[in-house]
Amino acid sequence: MPVVTIEDPDDSRLDDFRNLTDTALRLRSEHVDGLYMAESTKVIARAVAAGHRPRVVMVQERRLTDVREIVTDPQVLIAVVPDAVAEAVTGFDVHRGALASMQRPALPSITQVTQGARLILILEDLIEHQNVGAAFRAAAALGADAVLISARCADPLYRRSVRVSMGTVFQVPWSRFTSWQQLRDELPMVQIAALALREDAVTLEEYAPQRADRVALALGTEGNGLSAEALDTADVVVTIPMYGGVDSLNVASAGAVALWALRHPPAP
């Protein structure tokens, strides 16, 4: 694989790292589905293990050996740069020592990612990348088979989402949906459970033992929660009983609690 030392921040071989906004990366013309960034050797390793292909890896000298063990494709450029050059190019401190521009894979269909899934996580309109990353981490850790995100939900492959997820966005199959009617049509044998505060909601401890064999747990934004359309589409509304005058948790924390409770299918 080509390993080069680059000390000029204006070198065109570092162009992938100059404009790291989500929109700019998605519109890159070099690849039909755009690019995303993987930061740190651990995240790059998980991306490569998931079959994602790097274009260029920008690495500081202290991480070069680790990167060469992970990225073995001889066509991938590994650019060794001083810390100052990395910061000048990206506009931030690449303190984890390695940043890779990755070719974004084609998004699979809802049917492809949910086939055979018994526990699915649905995220509606979460606009904070940190929350999306944390939700994926909970999904991976607590046994969700797939994640479905709304059209307005933040990108799981955005740099901050990937970092917060610790690379688990590459482990859990995911896709986007355009409407709740689409989900209802494509998940006919799945019980949709909306996590929300509502008078007719059943508690999580009541619901878990009687849950259907296949469940999709729906989470909404921290401010407004799930939309009216989501609640109307759901088969059941579930709530987490709380104490101390607290009525809600961070969305990713709430998802983790509910996923833990639902991790086992009901007894036959």
Side-chain angles (χ1 to χ4, degrees):
M1 74 195 74
V3 177
V4 298
T5 298
I6 298 177
E7 298 185 350
D8 180 5
D10 294 325
D11 193 302
S12 62
R13 290 172 291 182
L14 301 179
D15 284 351
D16 277 3
F17 306 101
R18 294 191 194 285
N19 189 345
L20 300 184
T21 66
D22 186 29
T23 301
L25 291 172
R26 276 187 168 277
L27 294 177
R28 288 301 300 266
S29 61
E30 290 87 348
H31 190 264
V32 64
D33 294 300
L35 305 176
Y36 72 89
M37 291 294 147
E39 184 179 8
S40 83
T41 54
K42 178 180 289 187
V43 169
I44 295 169
R46 286 186 170 175
V48 171
H52 297 200
R53 186 178 182 277
R55 274 172 48 92
V56 183
V57 183
M58 183 169 61
V59 60
Q60 279 113 323
E61 185 70 42
R62 66 184 186 277
R63 295 296 186 192
L64 178 58
T65 299
D66 295 335
V67 166
R68 296 190 71 169
E69 291 177 355
I70 298 165
V71 181
T72 58
D73 186 336
Q75 297 183 359
V76 178
L77 175 68
I78 297 178
V80 183
V81 301
D83 292 1
V85 170
E87 184 171 355
V89 171
T90 64
F92 63 89
D93 179 13
V94 188
H95 63 278
R96 295 176 185 267
L99 186 65
S101 66
M102 309 288 298
Q103 292 186 340
R104 183 182 291 265
L107 193 65
S109 69
I110 291 175
T111 300
Q112 287 174 317
V113 302
T114 60
Q115 187 172 15
R118 291 194 169 188
L119 184 56
I120 301 164
L121 183 63
I122 301 174
L123 305 178
E124 183 189 42
D125 296 356
L126 271 62
I127 61 173
E128 295 290 340
H129 292 98
Q130 297 95 319
N131 285 336
V132 171
F136 266 83
R137 189 172 180 180
L142 298 169
D145 302 302
V147 178
L148 302 177
I149 65 175
S150 68
R152 291 183 293 182
C153 198
D155 183 11
L157 296 184
Y158 187 68
R159 183 174 57 88
R160 191 174 295 115
S161 300
V162 174
R163 185 176 69 237
V164 171
S165 81
M166 295 297 290
T168 55
V169 294
F170 308 123
Q171 293 178 222
V172 186
W174 65 275
S175 187
R176 285 191 185 268
F177 63 95
T178 58
S179 70
W180 284 93
Q181 185 58 53
Q182 179 193 13
L183 283 187
R184 187 74 286 171
D185 293 343
E186 299 203 38
L187 302 175
M189 304 301 292
V190 177
Q191 185 177 65
I192 297 178
L195 199 62
L197 293 172
R198 208 165 75 172
E199 289 186 1
D200 62 343
V202 299
T203 67
L204 181 60
E205 56 194 342
E206 291 172 330
Y207 173 67
Q210 61 183 10
R211 53 158 283 193
D213 184 57
R214 301 183 69 196
V215 171
L217 177 69
L219 303 176
T221 64
E222 290 194 40
N224 298 321
L226 287 164
S227 66
E229 184 184 4
L231 294 173
D232 290 342
T233 303
D235 298 296
V236 60
V237 179
V238 180
T239 189
I240 301 173
M242 300 190 189
Y243 304 93
V246 178
D247 64 2
S248 64
L249 295 172
N250 166 274
V251 62
S253 299
V257 171
L259 287 172
W260 185 87
L262 300 175
R263 68 196 186 281
H264 298 305

